[in-house]
Structure formats: C-alpha cells, structure tokens
Amino acid sequence: MIQMQKTTIQTYLKQNMVLTISGLLAILSMLLIPPSIRYIEYIDFRVLTLLFCLMLVVSGLQKTGLFHAVSTSLLKKAHSIRQLSLILIFISFLGSMFITNDVALIAFVPFTILVLQQASQENESCKQVHSHVLIMIIVFQTIFANLGSMLTPIGNPQNLYLYSLSNMSLFEFFQYTLPLTLLSFVMLLLSCRFCIPNIPIQIPHTKAPSVERKSLLQNSILFFLCLLTVTHILPWQLLLILLSIAVFLFDKRLFFSVDYGLLATFLFFFIFIGNMSEFSLVKNLLQNLLEGKEILVSSLTSQVISNVPCAILLSNFTTSYGKLLVGVNIGGLGTLIASLASLISWQQYRTIAHANPRKYFITFTIYNVVFFLILLGFSLIYYG
C-alpha cells in the first residue's frame, strides 16, 4: 500500500513538473530566508481566491452541458472540412476568453476528436485526410485558445494575476490585449483558409444535448459575482464566503474539480519570489535585465518555465505590467511547455487510437514558432 502511494505521488509530480519545480524552489529559498510572519506579505490571497472561485464556477458551467450544446448547434452549419475546422477552432478561441484556455481545451478538444471520428466514418473524403486534419485542428485549437484567452482578465491565470497586481482599468487592459487579439483573429481565418482542405462532407446531425437550466442560472449568477470581484466592486473575502456556501449547498462535488496543483504552484512561487526579492543583488540584476525589454525577455523566458510562472517571477522586478502582460501572453506560443494549457491538448491527442505523437509535436512546434515570431515582431513595433 505504501509503495503504491509512493508510486502515485511520484507519477503526479512527474506529470506536474512546474508544480514540482516551484515547490523545490520555495523550499530552497526557505533555507536562505527562514519562515516568518513576513511570508504572509508575499502571498496574494486575492488572486488565489479568484482563481479558486473561477475554477469552481467554470466547472459548474461545464457540467450544465452548455458548451457541448452550443458546439453541436454550430456544427449543423458546416458543409466542408474547412467550415468544420473554422467552427471548432473559433469556439476554442472565443470560449477561452471567458472560461480560460485550459477549460476551453478540456471541453472542446475531446468534442473535436469525437466529431472528426464520426465524420470520417460517414465520409470517405474525410477518412482519407482524417489523421492530418485532426492534428491540424487540435494544434490550431491550442494556439488560438492561448491567444483568445489573452483578451480578458479572466482568460488565463497570468492575466488575472497581472490585472489584479497592476490595478489597471479595463480600458487600459484592453489597450494592450485587443490589438493582439484582433491580429490573432485574422491569423485564425487565414490559417483555416490556407492550411485546411476545402473538402465537402456531411456532418452527422446529432441532437444537441439538453442544458440543465437551473444549474446554468445558478452558475451564471456566481460567475457574475466573480466578475464583480475581478473589477474590484465586490471584496474577494465576501466572494469566497458566498461562493463556497453556494457550491456546498448546490453541488459540493465541484470542490473536487479545482486544480489545486495550480493554486499550490502560485503559492510556491509567491514564497520563492518574495524570498529572492530580499537579495538586492538578484533584484537589481533582474530589474536591469528587464528594463526596456519586458516583452522580449518575458516571451523568451516563458519558453523555458511557461508563461504563468514567468508572469509571477518577473512582475516583482518591473512596473511595466502592460508590456509584461503582452510578453507572457505571446510567450504562451512556441515550445510545448510555454503554456501549461498546451500540455492538455498534447495529452488528449496521445490517448487517441493510431495517434502520431511525433507528427503532432513537429506540426505543433512549427506553427507555434511561426505565430510566435509574427506576434513578437508586431508587439515590439506596436508597443515599443
């Protein structure tokens, strides 16, 4: 039993390397700066609360069947592989703005796999290109979920963190994210136009799943409360109390859907960065490195440690939060680990029968690097 538990823990830590590394860094920093009451000052409880509450609410919305009902209804309008791809990629792009890039991929990638498998069984033309098209759609869903999520403060964890830390207004926030989002949308249309074959197909018309209206109303109200807290109208302490009571009364199983590993990763990085900030040499070094190069440094750093930890790390050594916001969002493209959301698609694709992980990885890397360079070049010129 003990050996089995040990193996389970080791497997979990290997599958969550960012969590493991952040934990080790926090422990090492604690050896240099012994734990004290000052540690409380390191932790942004508002961000942790918002992440926790948003994960609860979005999980609740997902269980209502809303996402699949909308997707199924939209697919009735598809009459070719290109139209099918455009719809599947666009709902990931749009959905990520409100339900986060992680949840958008968790919800829509399995749905995409199911739709493509059904379409290939009923359409000989689709069967011939099934493997290639499936890889292309999932890769583009991942890329544009990462890009779509940059638009709103709740689209991804780094946005929520930087928006809360910077105290910028929504108007200021959108000044940094809207131009990139519009460019990303144009790239989405061009990608589907030139990279997906325009082969006619007949989509199997399945009845849209029913939506649990009572649960949808409850979770919509809770989601609205989260938005009030994000915009600094409702205190985060009150949100935590209200939402915890509501979830406990309506569906306490949602507490098991929360990604506590992500919350722990934030906590560990808060401790590590707080301790490192005590050393003036480290602080001055990173400040000099970032000055005037926030976009370039943060986007490149994200390639190695992923964009969420990068945002937490570098935010302590610059006040140019807008440019840092741009950099870490662009930095979600590139390597497979640049955005933790990309690993979700990767793991889901690998479970498919007759999957070709090598081809997926090559395709993913090529398109990610190309889009990364385009957006980086645009950002360096547009934002200065």
Side-chain angles (χ1 to χ4, degrees), residues 290-311:
L290 276 170
E291 188 175 1
K293 302 183 290 292
E294 294 84 4
I295 294 176
L296 181 63
V297 172
S298 58
S299 61
L300 293 177
T301 304
S302 297
Q303 304 306 305
V304 182
I305 66 173
S306 86
N307 54 4
V308 174
C310 178

Side-chain angles (χ1 to χ4, degrees), residues 349-378:
Y349 174 76
R350 292 177 64 188
T351 63
I352 304 172
H354 309 298
N356 189 339
R358 182 174 179 273
K359 183 177 180 181
Y360 179 93
F361 179 78
I362 292 173
T363 304
F364 175 91
T365 303
I366 290 174
Y367 282 100
N368 266 267
V369 170
V370 170
F371 290 164
F372 170 75
L373 293 175
I374 292 173
L375 289 170
L376 178 60
F378 171 82

Side-chain angles (χ1 to χ4, degrees), residues 4-15:
M4 184 180 298
Q5 291 177 340
K6 183 177 179 181
T7 303
T8 302
I9 294 173
Q10 289 175 339
T11 301
Y12 178 81
L13 292 177
K14 287 180 180 179
Q15 293 176 345

Side-chain angles (χ1 to χ4, degrees), residues 105-310:
L105 294 173
I106 291 172
F108 297 127
V109 169
F111 179 75
T112 296
I113 294 170
L114 178 63
V115 169
L116 262 291
Q117 287 175 338
Q118 291 178 344
S120 65
Q121 291 172 0
E122 299 195 15
N123 298 266
E124 188 64 31
S125 57
C126 185
K127 186 181 299 184
Q128 295 170 0
V129 296
H130 173 264
S131 177
H132 171 71
V133 170
L134 180 59
I135 289 176
M136 292 298 297
I137 294 178
I138 296 177
V139 166
F140 284 148
Q141 279 184 310
T142 305
I143 290 173
F144 291 107
N146 284 327
L147 292 177
S149 69
M150 85 170 86
L151 178 64
T152 64
I154 61 172
N156 54 52
Q158 68 268 18
N159 279 15
L160 184 61
Y161 170 70
L162 291 173
Y163 179 73
S164 177
L165 177 68
S166 65
N167 287 319
M168 66 175 76
S169 66
L170 274 175
F171 178 76
E172 292 173 319
F173 186 91
F174 288 137
Q175 282 185 309
Y176 285 103
T177 62
L178 185 57
L180 283 171
T181 305
L182 293 175
L183 176 58
S184 299
F185 179 64
V186 173
M187 292 167 60
L188 186 159
L189 296 177
L190 292 175
S191 299
C192 291
R193 173 64 179 82
F194 294 104
C195 301
I196 305 294
N198 192 30
I199 301 174
I201 57 170
Q202 181 66 41
I203 303 296
H205 291 310
T206 56
K207 184 180 179 181
S210 59
V211 177
E212 299 177 18
R213 295 186 179 182
K214 182 180 178 181
S215 180
L216 177 60
L217 177 61
Q218 292 168 349
N219 283 284
S220 296
I221 294 172
L222 296 178
F223 186 70
F224 179 69
L225 293 180
C226 289
L227 293 181
L228 291 179
T229 304
V230 169
T231 53
H232 302 278
I233 296 174
L234 185 72
W236 64 264
Q237 298 92 336
L238 182 57
L239 172 70
L240 180 61
I241 294 171
L242 292 176
L243 195 136
S244 297
I245 293 174
V247 171
F248 183 81
L249 293 175
F250 297 142
D251 189 358
K252 59 178 67 70
R253 292 171 297 178
L254 291 177
F255 286 114
F256 296 101
S257 67
V258 173
D259 186 353
Y260 294 102
L262 177 61
L263 296 176
T265 299
F266 266 80
L267 180 63
F268 290 145
F269 268 109
F270 284 146
I271 294 173
F272 169 69
I273 295 164
N275 284 333
M276 289 300 97
S277 298
E278 297 292 323
F279 295 96
S280 57
L281 180 63
V282 174
K283 188 173 183 178
N284 292 334
L285 177 64
L286 287 174
Q287 284 176 338
N288 292 333
L289 179 65
L290 276 170
E291 188 175 1
K293 302 183 290 292
E294 294 84 4
I295 294 176
L296 181 63
V297 172
S298 58
S299 61
L300 293 177
T301 304
S302 297
Q303 304 306 305
V304 182
I305 66 173
S306 86
N307 54 4
V308 174
C310 178

